[in-house]
């Protein structure tokens, strides 16, 4: 059974009397453990899809099911706590909290779990080990390179062991070498750790790494390619 | 790692801004304590005055002396246990800026009338036995380094000596005061020493006494005795006005006019200004933290968390500033008691003032944090991440 299923999802923005249809009756399925890339021109609604799946934004119509939860039915408070348990986010702009160290950033989402202080620290350290930055624990984001920052962000996304990773152009701000490291890491998370990864990208090479690519245009799936 | 640490890091991430904000709150809270303490200390002087004492002054004005011959007549009035002369000397110690109060009085009587003035017995006796002797309050002693055995020269202003020299007083002791109505910044000396000098022409100035301090005999009411005294002199030669000690103190406070109200308004204005300052700091901080708050939301922190962080931050500013301001107010009590001297007898910061200070800090913290907290609670995560700096 698909772990993520979108049925007839529409999203329309209205601004100054004009309405912009971003997603138009979209159907989409993602299998558990899949490594999926979303590609398409700017403004085609890729980020919007991630935000809807992660419950950061609300659809105007249609249903979104993640696991056995119908996300479209949860209210804001339930959605928030559900997100903390099931979704890991990785952003193009890394979005680390500048005043916290790498370790503290990774530990942050664990504050939402019942884990004790020592366990939180241990788990955060483990996540940093997975991304290969155990030696940079006490550095602030400013003291890290872009690639390192993004790996810390990935460690944060996996710290509380969510099943789904939503990555919005994770390599968009990185040089080739750093981008490759990040892509390799995401692939490993999918193959070795069984995470379901959905990655929005403009990077053709990133697309090649993915198990499946959905090409989006004007709010509908234009075509799909499978590796 | 905890959210508290995040708040501390945010406070510490702009040290200059944090110090300025905390400093502003500190100054405001200090001013609040200081201004309120002036008012409460003046009040206490009135409250703690004895109902067993009344004061007779000229009905014309406080600055008009009464004939010393009144003493015997007053002592003879029913209900008067004792009366002492009490004259404002107005001498200058070395420089006009060294202002402190000096009174010529009848030492033995005064010390019986005012049990709240305490001084070691042998010092007291030494003072009684020396016509040129004087005692000083502990505050005065500390301020000018006066001690028993010193001779203090005072230049007479109301009572200049005819040869232009200074008066000399021998300090025999240092007193403390047990109540707020008597300050510790005064010098008391023998009224007869002053009067003799006027008599034999070595000094010039008005004869008589500024007021009579009167202690009531048991079972007599102050009003009755006051009426009796004033009635006795109703036909002159100089009419008198006799009041309870508390009313006399209150009169003095009234001479300050609307000062207490005025002080209150200044204090309130400062607090409001500082409140705006804290709100402003927090608004700037909130603009910078927009993205951080979006991140927290995206990570699954409940919507109340960003609001709570802002509140905690604003309350930290208010609490730190308040603690410093109130700490300074607490530790400078002695300094201000000495500076304010007789004008605000026994200046001290009352415990309720600190309680009010804490309440004000909490209000500043909550209001300061409420504005960004409210904005944060309505913030949409996607929006915050898009717009955030
Ligand atoms: N809050 C909003 N109000 C109005 N329009 C919006 C809002 N959010 C997104 N849009 C519009 O919706 C469309 C889809 O946005 P989305 O961010 O999903 O695109 P995208 O495919 O991720 O593009 P890009 O590759 O540039 O990131 C865009 O035209 C965008 O301008
Ligand atoms: Mg996008």
């Amino acid at each position: 059974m698909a772990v993520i299923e979108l049925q007839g999802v529409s999203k329309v923005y209205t601004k100054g009397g004009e309405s912009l249809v971003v997603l138009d009756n979209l159907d989409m399925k993602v299998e558990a453990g899949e490594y999926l890339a979303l590609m398409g021109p700017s403004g085609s609604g890729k980020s919007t899809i991630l935000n809807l799946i992660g419950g950061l934004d609300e659809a105007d119509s249609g249903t979104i099911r993640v696991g056995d939860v119908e996300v479209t039915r949860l209210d804001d408070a339930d959605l928030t706590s559900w997100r903390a348990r099931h979704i890991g986010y990785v952003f193009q702009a890394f979005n680390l909290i500048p005043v916290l160290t790498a370790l503290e950033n990774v530990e942050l989402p664990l504050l939402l779990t019942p884990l004790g202080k020592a366990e939180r620290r241990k788990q955060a350290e483990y996540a940093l080990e997975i991304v290969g930055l155990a030696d940079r624990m006490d550095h602030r984001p400013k003291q890290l390179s872009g690639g390192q920052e993004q790996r810390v962000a990935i460690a944060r996304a996996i710290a509380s062991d969510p099943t789904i990773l939503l990555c919005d152009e994770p390599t968009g701000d990185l040089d080739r070498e750093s981008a490759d490291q990040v892509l390799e890491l995401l692939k490993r998370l999918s193959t070795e750790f069984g995470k379901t990864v959905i990655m929005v990208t403009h990077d053709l090479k990133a697309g090649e790494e993915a198990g499946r690519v959905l090409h989006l245009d004007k709010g509908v799936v234009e075509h799909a390619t499978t590796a | 790692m905890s959210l508290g640490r995040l708040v501390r890091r945010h406070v510490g991430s702009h040290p200059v801004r944090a110090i300025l904000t905390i400093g502003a709150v500190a100054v405001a809270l200090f001013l609040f304590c200081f201004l309120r303490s002036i008012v409460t200390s003046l009040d206490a002087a009135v409250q703690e005055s004895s109902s067993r004492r009344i004061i007779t002054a000229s009905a014309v004005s406080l600055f008009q002396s009464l004939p010393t011959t009144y003493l015997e007549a007053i002592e003879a009035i029913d209900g008067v246990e004792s009366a002492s002369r009490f004259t404002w000397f107005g001498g200058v110690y070395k420089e006009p800026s060294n202002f402190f109060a000096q009174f010529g009085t009848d030492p033995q009587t005064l010390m019986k009338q005012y049990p709240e003035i305490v001084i070691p017995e042998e010092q007291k006796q030494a003072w009684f036995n020396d016509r040129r002797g004087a005692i000083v309050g502990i505050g005065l002693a500390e301020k000018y380094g006066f001690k028993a055995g010193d001779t203090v020269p005072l230049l007479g202003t109301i009572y200049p000596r005819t040869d232009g020299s200074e008066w000399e007083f021998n300090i025999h002791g240092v007193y403390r005061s047990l109540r707020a109505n008597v300050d510790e910044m005064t010098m008391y000396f023998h009224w007869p020493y002053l009067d003799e000098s006027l008599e034999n022409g070595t000094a010039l100035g008005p004869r008589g006494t500024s007021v009579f301090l009167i202690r009531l005999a048991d079972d007599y009411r102050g009003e009755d005795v006051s009426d009796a005294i004033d009635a006795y002199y109703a036909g002159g030669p100089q009419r008198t006005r006799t009041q309870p000690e508390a009313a006399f103190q209150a009169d003095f406070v009234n001479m300050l006019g609307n000062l207490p109200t005025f002080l209150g308004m200044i204090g309130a204005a400062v607090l409001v200004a500082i409140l705006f300052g804290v709100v402003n700091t927090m608004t700037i901080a909130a603009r910078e933290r927009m993205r951080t708050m979006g991140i927290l939301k995206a990570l699954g922190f409940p919507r109340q968390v960003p609001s709570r962080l802002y509140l905690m931050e604003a309350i930290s500013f208010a609490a730190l500033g308040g603690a410093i301001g109130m700490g300074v107010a607490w530790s400078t009590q002695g300094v201000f008691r000495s500076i304010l001297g007789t004008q605000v007898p026994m200046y001290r910061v009352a415990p309720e003032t600190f309680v009010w200070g804490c309440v004000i800090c909490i209000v500043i913290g909550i209001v300061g944090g409420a504005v960004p907290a409210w904005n944060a609670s309505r913030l949409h995560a996607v929006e915050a991440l898009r717009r955030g700096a």
Side-chain angles (χ1 to χ4, degrees), chain A residues 69-87:
Chain A
V69 172
E70 221 181 292
V71 178
T72 26
R73 288 203 176 178
L74 297 180
D75 64 18
D76 186 69
D78 289 337
L79 207 52
T80 304
S81 70
W82 169 82
R83 179 162 62 241
R85 274 174 288 134
H86 298 282
I87 305 288

Side-chain angles (χ1 to χ4, degrees), chain B residues 193-384:
Chain B
Y193 172 38
L194 170 62
D195 196 55
E196 274 163 23
S197 308
L198 298 174
E199 173 77 38
N200 64 27
T202 49
L204 300 172
R207 300 291 293 271
T209 176
S210 303
V211 297
F212 291 100
L213 306 181
I214 296 160
R215 190 176 160 96
L216 301 170
D218 290 345
D219 304 327
Y220 281 88
R221 291 185 350 134
E223 291 165 46
D224 299 341
V225 179
S226 299
D227 288 349
I229 294 171
D230 294 345
Y232 187 87
Y233 286 112
Q238 235 201 83
R239 291 193 301 113
T240 59
R241 179 159 182 251
T242 306
Q243 290 176 286
E245 184 183 277
F248 194 79
Q249 293 269 20
D251 247 18
F252 180 67
V253 175
N254 287 341
M255 266 163 49
L256 302 173
N258 282 331
L259 187 68
T261 324
F262 193 54
L263 293 184
M265 278 162 54
I266 294 173
V270 169
L271 290 176
V272 170
I274 292 311
L275 183 61
F276 288 161
V278 174
V279 170
N280 185 41
T281 302
M282 289 308 302
T283 309
I284 293 168
R287 203 168 302 141
E288 293 168 358
R289 310 269 166 69
M290 181 111 65
R291 179 176 289 267
T292 293
M293 298 308 160
I295 296 167
L296 291 176
K297 194 93 205 293
L299 289 178
F301 282 90
R303 63 187 304 120
Q304 311 86 281
V305 166
S307 307
R308 220 156 54 211
L309 291 178
Y310 287 133
L311 277 176
M312 281 162 72
E313 186 169 346
I315 289 172
S316 319
F317 283 134
L320 283 172
I324 293 170
M326 290 191 274
V328 171
W330 171 257
S331 54
T332 52
Q333 288 179 102
V335 176
F336 282 109
R337 192 175 306 144
S338 149
I339 292 174
L340 296 168
T342 324
Q343 286 142 31
V344 183
M346 303 303 270
Y347 167 90
R348 77 184 257 275
V349 185
E352 311 93 77
T353 300
F354 288 118
V355 173
W356 278 112
C358 291
V359 170
I360 287 168
C361 283
I362 293 169
V363 170
I364 289 178
I366 290 178
V367 176
V371 178
W374 193 66
N375 288 337
S377 73
R378 296 180 312 157
L379 194 64
H380 200 279
V382 180
E383 206 39 27

Side-chain angles (χ1 to χ4, degrees), chain A residues 13 15 20 22 41-48 169 202, chain B residues 383 386:
Chain A
Y13 286 112
K15 222 176 206 172
L20 172 72
V22 180
S42 182
S44 57
K46 306 179 297 291
S47 296
T48 304
E169 298 186 45
H202 287 292
Chain B
E383 206 39 27
R386 197 201 307 275

